[in-house]
Amino acid sequence: MALLQDLIQQIDDPALRERILQETNKLLKQKKFGLVFEEHIPECTPLYDIPVRKGALVAIKDKNIQQSYVVESITGGTAKCFEKESKTTVEIPVSSLVCIARFGDPIYPCLKPIDEVENAPDSDLWHTLIEADNYHALQLLEYLYAGKVDCIYIDPPYNTGARDWKYNNDYVDSSDAYRHSKWLSMMEKRLKLAKKLLNPNDSVLICAIDEKEYLHLGCLFEELFPDANMQMISTVTNSRGVARGNGFARTDEYLFILQIGTSSVSRLPLSDEWRVNVKKDNRVTHLRWSMLIRSGSHFLRADSANQFYPVFVNNDGKSIHSVGEPYYGSNRDEVVVPEGTTAVWPMRKDGNEGNWQISAENLRELIKQGFVMLGNKFTDTGMPIYYLKRGEIKKVKEGIYKITGHREDGSIISDTEVRSLVTGTQWRIGSHDASTGGTALIKSVLGETRFTYPKSLYAVHDSIRFFVAEKPNALILDFFAGSGTTLHAVNLLNAEDGGHRRCIMVTNNEVSDAEEKNLKKHGNNPGDKEWEELGIARYVTWPRTVCTIEGQDINGEPLKGNYIDTDIPMSNGFKANCKFFKLTFLDKTSVALGRQFQELFPVLWMKGGAIGRCPVLKSDELPNMLILPKNKMAVLIDEIYYSEFDSEIQKHPEIRTVFIITDSEAAYRTMIRTYDGKDCYQLYRDYLDNFRINSGR
């Protein structure tokens, strides 16, 4: 462009020179600096749950979904349709049609319960699996959890040239000249939404990819996440290698790590396998000490007021004098500090008041037992304090770690070394092999190979562990969930350290290319029962989730063996619960007033944190209010009854999410004035105003 500008300056005719300069400047403004690719026509979504009616935008089920029609009339079982492009009218059986929505068209989502597994009835932790096109699921999740997600792990289709992914309902293969730009268009739309979900202060996005698209994807990440700290890991996933034509066998793939805000890699106790130079690397500690200050979600003082208290450390920084009581005031200087000590509060690096992970009473007890350790020195925010979690304490008490002495601060010393370090960017970990930790593991659960090239459970477990080990309440999202490895990994993490991390998985219910051809051969189409039963969500993701939580295979037999590098038997299952939803769409012309609330209630449950089992409304007649202490949420349905509603709220301080249905902004503000510390949301009486997707709110 610089050379072109120089040449333009040589044009003698000033009017012509100015005109050409104007046109080239327009081109300059249009040019993308960085990654350049074709932005393809928007994707379309089939809406199988919406009935075909007059005026609907439709497509033929087993044809190209971009070939759309408008229904002019329906007579008997036949629809008279107008095709805009050719401007022709055709007659098509209604049973062959499906309503569609183009990206950008307003649609109205709801979550339809499909199934659930409950293996921890006393726990309020519920994971969720959502069967959906992940673009629309991400739009709904933006409403639910914007800025609240701690970790996103995704394993998108690698675009190898095989028929392994779809664009606009058609498989894309190596013969498609635009397959790279179609893939990038698909990824860009979803990553823009994913960015809105991540906690801007401290979160991470992890994306697995191989050599086919890693260059393009890296440029796309640079463009969409310019402020993120980006690294790329090379990780061995198949030690035997996968043939690559006349080239070298492929043994590894890549992980892009995008750290947002203050995100940092946790030092973890790792085996010698992780160490770059075993002989010279002596970064070791004893046991696995965790930070006492809470990170991840619910880390502010307001989230756990009774865990905001001072720890009085002697001025030499070598021992703890005592632990203070919870402080509920607004001026910490009024707290009396014992002579010769410094008060250490749970202060965050950004200056905000946080909270400790455990109560003052529990901390005092752990100090007596030697399970609390001080950092090396005082800092601007106080002093780092570490403690042993239940899993580590259990190992000490069972003699797995022998106590050989105590430090000056009273904390125990063990003779069993556990290496705690930040590893390098080359991972050669045996358990990360996809054949053993992925394919063989799924086969042991489902009895057959139902999914090709699954990730190793331990590869995903380790990837996210570096960022959520110190976040026991982290919210983790995978919107290319595939076989369900991410939820399996989160459950294993929680089982190891007693965490309360929650996972949301999103996957479509597509069948494989071969299965699609066979189903069509037998007269089946998308939306048919036979087709749905073989889709990935229902045939792979959900059965794996249920089986691993319950600790048994698809035939009800106990799973065999322990999880690698743990003493956790697979047959134990996990103390976890999961709800399975299908993201469906409502016909705006047929949403009955009495059904609006019932249709959106699971969405409210998720927005309230998916705490406890999702309640079911047993009657079509709505009550004036819903007070749900077990779900820590409440809904005022008829604002006339606000006084009674407010009285009930005061009786249940555990309620932390409040929904109020009113069309009056002023009334809403008045009603929530005393609900400090609670998450409050206004809902409009018209469902369509609350949850319209694609046209703004």
Side-chain angles (χ1 to χ4, degrees):
M1 292 303 294
L3 177 60
L4 181 60
Q5 297 249 351
D6 290 340
L7 292 173
I8 291 172
Q9 292 300 329
Q10 298 176 27
I11 298 174
D12 293 330
D13 186 336
L16 178 61
R17 183 172 65 244
E18 183 61 28
R19 179 67 187 277
I20 294 177
L21 275 172
Q22 290 177 0
E23 294 303 316
T24 53
N25 284 334
K26 290 180 182 178
L27 289 173
L28 275 172
K29 292 178 180 178
Q30 293 175 4
K31 184 179 185 311
K32 292 182 177 179
F33 290 90
L35 186 65
V36 180
F37 59 93
E38 292 286 336
E39 293 189 354
H40 291 269
I41 52 178
E43 298 169 61
C44 287
T45 297
L47 310 176
Y48 294 110
D49 294 321
I50 293 183
V52 175
R53 303 177 185 275
K54 179 181 177 180
L57 183 68
V58 297
I60 299 175
K61 287 181 180 178
D62 61 345
K63 303 293 183 183
N64 183 356
I65 203 169
Q66 289 296 322
Q67 183 72 31
S68 60
Y69 305 86
V70 176
V71 177
E72 291 187 339
S73 62
I74 298 177
T75 303
T78 302
K80 184 179 180 182
C81 303
F82 177 71
E83 205 278 312
K84 289 185 178 180
E85 302 252 339
S86 63
K87 302 188 183 302
T88 58
T89 300
V90 294
E91 292 189 347
I92 307 171
V94 172
S95 60
S96 299
L97 296 175
V98 59
C99 291
I100 62 172
R102 294 191 181 96
F103 281 18
D105 293 343
I107 52 179
Y108 306 92
C110 67
L111 292 171
K112 177 182 177 182
I114 302 296
D115 202 354
E116 66 180 43
V117 56
E118 185 179 28
N119 200 37
D122 296 331
S123 172
D124 62 8
L125 173 63
W126 281 75
H127 305 296
T128 45
L129 168 63
I130 302 175
E131 175 191 318
D133 174 282
N134 58 10
Y135 181 82
H136 292 309
L138 285 168
Q139 286 184 306
L140 180 59
L141 290 172
E142 180 192 348
Y143 167 74
L144 298 175
Y145 302 120
K148 295 183 178 180
V149 174
D150 297 291
C151 173
I152 292 178
Y153 180 97
I154 54 173
D155 181 22
Y158 285 4
N159 200 18
T160 61
R163 292 169 66 84
D164 62 346
W165 73 284
K166 286 185 174 183
Y167 188 84
N168 279 325
N169 226 36
D170 284 336
Y171 277 106
V172 179
D173 58 30
S174 57
S175 65
D176 192 324
Y178 292 98
R179 68 184 179 91
H180 291 293
S181 57
K182 284 181 177 178
W183 187 87
L184 284 165
S185 291
M186 180 271 295
M187 290 296 294
E188 182 187 44
K189 293 184 182 79
R190 287 153 179 81
L191 289 172
K192 283 181 176 179
L193 290 170
K195 183 177 181 179
K196 297 176 182 178
L197 290 168
L198 288 165
N199 178 351
N201 299 316
D202 179 9
S203 60
V204 65
L205 187 153
I206 305 170
C207 180
I209 199 69
D210 74 357
E211 77 274 20
K212 296 295 191 297
E213 295 289 359
Y214 82 101
L215 290 171
H216 300 134
L217 182 61
C219 289
L220 184 61
F221 278 141
E222 291 273 7
E223 215 168 86
L224 298 180
F225 297 85
D227 299 324
N229 174 33
M230 185 167 76
Q231 281 191 296
M232 190 169 72
I233 304 294
S234 176
T235 175
V236 175
T237 56
N238 190 323
S239 56
R240 291 186 296 271
V242 178
R244 285 290 196 256
N246 296 323
F248 297 107
R250 184 72 170 170
T251 61
D252 65 345
E253 60 186 34
Y254 307 115
L255 285 175
F256 275 109
I257 309 288
L258 281 79
Q259 293 173 255
I260 313 296
T262 61
S263 171
S264 61
V265 180
S266 296
R267 294 177 64 90
L268 298 178
L270 302 172
S271 66
D272 285 343
E273 236 180 339
W274 288 90
R275 303 169 77 192
V276 177
N277 189 328
V278 176
K279 291 183 179 179
K280 293 184 179 180
D281 191 341
N282 55 11
R283 295 172 289 175
V284 298
T285 66
H286 297 282
L287 293 176
R288 179 181 173 186
W289 295 89
S290 300
M291 291 292 293
L292 183 62
I293 189 169
R294 185 182 297 279
S295 56
S297 56
H298 306 298
F299 55 75
L300 294 176
R301 175 182 178 180
D303 297 322
S304 190
N306 66 323
Q307 289 176 200
F308 183 77
Y309 54 84
V311 177
F312 300 115
V313 177
N314 289 314
N315 287 339
D316 60 7
K318 295 181 179 180
S319 59
I320 295 174
H321 175 278
S322 58
V323 177
E325 296 297 328
Y327 177 68
Y328 302 100
S330 58
N331 180 14
R332 297 193 306 274
D333 292 337
E334 69 182 12
V335 174
V336 178
V337 179
E339 186 177 351
T341 71
T342 299
V344 177
W345 297 87
M347 299 299 297
R348 300 180 59 78
K349 291 179 181 179
D350 58 8
N352 285 321
E353 294 177 335
N355 62 68
W356 301 120
Q357 300 232 35
I358 58 178
S359 68
E361 182 180 356
N362 287 340
L363 182 61
R364 293 187 191 104
E365 186 59 33
L366 293 184
I367 291 172
K368 291 178 184 177
Q369 299 178 65
F371 298 149
V372 178
M373 180 176 68
L374 291 175
N376 292 327
K377 59 182 180 180
F378 287 104
T379 67
D380 292 340
T381 55
M383 173 178 280
I385 302 177
Y386 306 87
Y387 78 113
L388 295 182
K389 292 186 176 180
R390 284 178 294 178
E392 299 297 287
I393 292 174
K394 182 180 177 183
K395 293 173 185 176
V396 171
K397 292 184 175 180
E398 291 178 350
I400 297 173
Y401 295 139
K402 304 296 183 183
I403 299 175
T404 58
H406 291 77
R407 296 180 182 84
E408 193 170 350
D409 60 13
S411 59
I412 63 170
I413 299 173
S414 169
D415 63 353
T416 304
E417 292 184 344
V418 180
R419 287 144 179 86
S420 179
L421 58 101
V422 174
T423 188
T425 56
Q426 294 285 323
W427 295 359
R428 300 179 181 89
I429 314 303
S431 63
H432 291 189
D433 192 294
S435 59
T436 54
T439 304
L441 179 61
I442 288 184
K443 190 173 182 179
S444 72
V445 174
L446 302 182
E448 57 183 310
T449 303
R450 297 187 178 187
F451 187 83
T452 55
Y453 309 118
K455 280 283 179 294
S456 164
L457 166 67
Y458 308 101
V460 179
H461 165 276
D462 289 339
S463 299
I464 63 179
R465 183 166 64 118
F466 280 112
F467 299 96
V468 301
E470 301 300 328
K471 298 179 179 180
N473 298 298
L475 177 59
I476 299 160
L477 168 66
D478 182 350
F479 54 88
F480 284 102
S483 67
T485 307
T486 301
L487 175 54
H488 197 166
V490 171
N491 278 333
L492 181 56
L493 272 171
N494 285 341
E496 288 173 323
D497 65 7
H500 203 258
R501 302 171 187 88
R502 182 160 64 97
C503 183
I504 300 171
M505 294 194 300
V506 179
T507 183
N508 56 39
N509 198 40
E510 290 176 355
V511 299
S512 69
D513 183 37
E515 288 169 335
E516 179 175 320
K517 291 175 180 176
N518 187 55
L519 285 163
K520 286 183 176 179
K521 181 180 177 181
H522 290 85
N524 299 120
N525 291 305
D528 294 346
K529 180 182 177 182
E530 295 81 2
W531 192 293
E532 296 293 298
E533 287 178 348
L534 288 177
I536 182 174
R538 305 192 187 197
Y539 192 58
V540 181
T541 322
W542 183 243
R544 176 184 183 172
T545 298
V546 173
C547 287
T548 55
I549 286 178
E550 293 182 341
Q552 57 189 19
D553 65 20
I554 198 72
N555 299 312
E557 297 296 322
L559 294 173
K560 298 177 181 178
N562 290 358
Y563 287 104
I564 293 177
D565 293 332
T566 76
D567 57 358
I568 301 173
M570 292 188 183
S571 59
N572 278 6
F574 298 110
K575 294 301 180 184
N577 312 300
C578 188
K579 189 75 175 179
F580 180 17
F581 293 108
K582 179 179 180 180
L583 179 65
T584 64
F585 304 94
L586 300 179
D587 179 5
K588 67 177 180 179
T589 62
S590 63
V591 177
L593 290 175
R595 293 185 58 206
Q596 290 185 15
F597 187 82
Q598 293 200 22
E599 298 287 1
L600 67 87
F601 197 48
V603 175
L604 301 187
W605 173 74
M606 283 199 69
K607 192 168 181 66
I611 299 169
R613 175 183 282 186
C614 183
V616 177
L617 299 179
K618 298 180 180 179
S619 171
D620 291 338
E621 186 175 344
L622 296 180
N624 300 320
M625 67 188 75
L626 287 169
I627 308 296
L628 305 166
K630 291 183 179 179
N631 305 106
K632 299 183 181 179
M633 61 182 283
V635 187
L636 176 59
I637 297 173
D638 189 337
E639 60 187 299
I640 295 175
Y641 293 89
Y642 168 71
S643 295
E644 293 88 337
F645 177 78
D646 184 59
S647 296
E648 291 297 319
I649 293 290
Q650 304 308 322
K651 295 176 185 176
H652 297 283
E654 66 271 30
I655 289 176
R656 64 185 194 210
T657 305
V658 176
F659 298 97
I660 293 179
I661 299 179
T662 176
D663 291 334
S664 170
E665 175 77 14
Y668 167 72
R669 292 295 171 193
T670 299
M671 285 187 277
I672 67 167
R673 68 189 183 281
T674 60
Y675 298 157
D676 290 340
K678 300 185 188 298
D679 294 323
C680 300
Y681 303 99
Q682 179 183 1
L683 297 178
Y684 298 102
R685 295 194 175 279
D686 187 344
Y687 164 90
L688 304 180
D689 285 339
N690 287 296
F691 299 105
R692 182 183 294 110
I693 279 181
N694 286 336
S695 60
R697 293 185 186 86

